[in-house]
Amino acid sequence: MVFKTKLTELTGIKHPIVQGGMQYVGTAEMASAVSNAGALGILTALTQPTPDALRAEIRRCRTMTNNPFGVNLTFLPAIVPPPYEEYAKAIIEEGVKVVETAGNNPGKYIKMFKAAGIIVLHKCTAIRHAMSAHRLGVDIISIDGYECAGHPGEDDITALILLAKSAKTLKIPYIASGGFGDGRGLAAALALGAEGINMGTRFMCTVEAPIHHNIKEAIVKADERSTALVFRPFRNTTRIFKNSVAIEVNKREENPDVVFEDVRELVSGARGRQVYTTGDPEFGVWTAGQVVGLIDDIPTCQDLVTKIVNDAESVIKERLNKMIIPESKL
């Protein structure tokens, strides 16, 4: 059995599951494994150092899967921003069919992608942002709850509320992100009006994820309390794995006069990237969502996707449906 949703219809995938864009993780190995499992694999554009490197990665991914895959392009504030327009042109010229966008002021690029006939999925942490994205012409909203890895926004609203509010408010399809990693989560997301789920941390903890096995083991050993929120004083809240570096960052942030320079050397992106290559979970900061509390194995992407879909079907058929009986039989 498969679930037919607006997400599967729009993107041409078999199962309503998206692998979210993850810096340093969304490579051809990751995306192709997810796509080969029938879900939507996502390459992370800015993991590639140049637009030409992204072109090469898109082509390499095509040699590894015949199924649909997409590219994530995230727009973040920077003193010297990446050449976003060149990355966008590379995505368009390479014939990518699905793009996941996130971050600030994506309007210009969403228009570029829509003009090229690309399906655009935009990540939002607030209903007001989702409505703005709708006006910009996106096809699908990814609603990110407070539980998510990376940037959960500044409102601290959980997925349960955001998804239910989305069902009442949005006029376009949306998927659920933040805290999803199993079949119960997929069934719950569908019940809350979503057309599928987006998973990042859960896909990090798979055989094919291009990160050191020690980091996958750290995720397995973690529980739902094993994340920390940093950068709150700078209104750039970020959820990361709770290691000694995260604890030190939080300690420094207790100073009411804290400025980013006080933590800069601790949160270096170079250090974070080395976590994934050296396997030392204490070397730097690395993103992880509260879903680590639900992860207790390191399956292949195929086994993971299959289990999630089968378990969701069981929840719906064998649990929820059995709860509905004619009133006359009470």
Side-chain angles (χ1 to χ4, degrees):
M1 174 180 169
V2 296
F3 290 97
K4 181 181 179 182
T5 73
K6 292 175 183 176
L7 172 67
T8 63
E9 291 177 330
L10 281 168
T11 60
I13 58 177
K14 182 178 180 182
H15 302 302
I17 299 172
V18 176
Q19 166 242 315
M22 295 175 281
Q23 186 71 344
Y24 310 134
V25 182
T27 63
E29 285 77 13
M30 181 85 267
S32 64
V34 173
S35 290
N36 285 334
L40 184 66
I42 300 283
L43 296 173
T44 305
L46 298 183
T47 290
Q48 303 304 318
T50 66
D52 282 343
L54 175 60
R55 290 179 188 274
E57 192 73 357
I58 292 169
R59 294 172 187 178
R60 194 165 73 91
C61 195
R62 284 210 173 96
T63 71
M64 302 166 73
T65 184
N66 293 320
N67 292 340
F69 66 88
V71 176
N72 166 280
L73 186 57
T74 298
F75 308 98
L76 296 174
I79 296 173
V80 181
Y84 288 124
E85 188 161 350
E86 292 180 35
Y87 276 101
K89 287 180 179 177
I91 292 168
I92 293 167
E93 291 169 4
E94 290 301 318
V96 172
K97 302 300 183 185
V98 182
V99 170
E100 178 189 64
T101 55
N104 302 324
N105 301 316
K108 170 184 175 180
Y109 304 100
I110 289 171
K111 289 179 181 177
M112 289 174 62
F113 293 137
K114 291 311 302 173
I118 294 173
I119 298 296
V120 178
L121 188 160
H122 185 69
K123 294 172 74 70
C124 297
T125 60
I127 300 299
R128 63 188 183 279
H129 298 157
M131 295 177 72
S132 295
H134 181 193
R135 289 191 291 269
L136 290 172
V138 306
D139 301 280
I140 307 170
I141 299 292
S142 178
I143 292 291
D144 278 26
Y146 179 66
E147 305 90 334
C148 73
H151 299 278
E154 307 302 320
D155 296 337
D156 298 355
I157 309 298
T158 62
L160 184 65
I161 302 304
L162 285 174
L163 295 172
K165 185 68 176 288
S166 294
K168 296 174 65 175
T169 307
L170 301 183
K171 305 300 182 185
I172 59 174
Y174 61 94
I175 63 174
S177 181
F180 295 93
D182 60 17
R184 292 184 186 90
L186 174 56
L190 296 175
L192 285 162
E195 303 293 333
I197 57 175
N198 180 304
M199 305 191 309
T201 306
R202 174 66 268 202
F203 276 122
M204 284 175 60
C205 205
T206 56
V207 170
E208 297 93 342
I211 62 176
H212 199 286
H213 188 74
N214 288 356
I215 304 306
K216 301 175 189 181
E217 291 286 1
I219 293 173
V220 169
K221 292 175 184 176
D223 65 23
E224 62 275 13
R225 301 167 298 169
S226 298
T227 68
L229 294 172
V230 296
F231 306 158
R232 303 216 87 176
F234 319 122
R235 294 195 60 78
N236 187 29
T237 300
T238 304
R239 187 179 298 282
I240 61 175
F241 191 83
K242 190 175 184 179
N243 59 10
S244 57
V245 183
I247 292 170
E248 177 60 25
V249 171
N250 282 160
K251 182 179 178 181
R252 296 186 188 185
E253 288 176 337
E254 290 175 0
N255 180 349
D257 298 319
V258 67
V259 293
F260 185 71
E261 290 301 321
D262 296 332
V263 300
R264 180 186 293 275
E265 84 280 6
L266 294 174
V267 300
S268 158
R271 286 179 62 172
R273 185 168 195 169
Q274 287 186 59
V275 167
Y276 296 144
T277 56
T278 66
D280 179 1
E282 300 295 325
F283 189 77
V285 298
W286 51 285
T287 58
Q290 290 181 326
V291 74
V292 293
L294 300 179
I295 298 173
D296 56 14
D297 62 352
I298 308 172
T300 64
C301 288
Q302 181 67 62
D303 288 345
L304 174 62
V305 170
T306 299
K307 179 173 173 51
I308 288 174
V309 172
N310 288 344
D311 287 354
E313 179 185 351
S314 295
V315 167
I316 294 168
K317 281 186 173 181
E318 298 174 18
R319 178 171 169 76
L320 300 183
N321 281 350
K322 288 181 179 178
M323 292 179 176
I324 303 174
I325 59 174
E327 191 173 357
S328 60
K329 293 186 177 182
L330 291 176

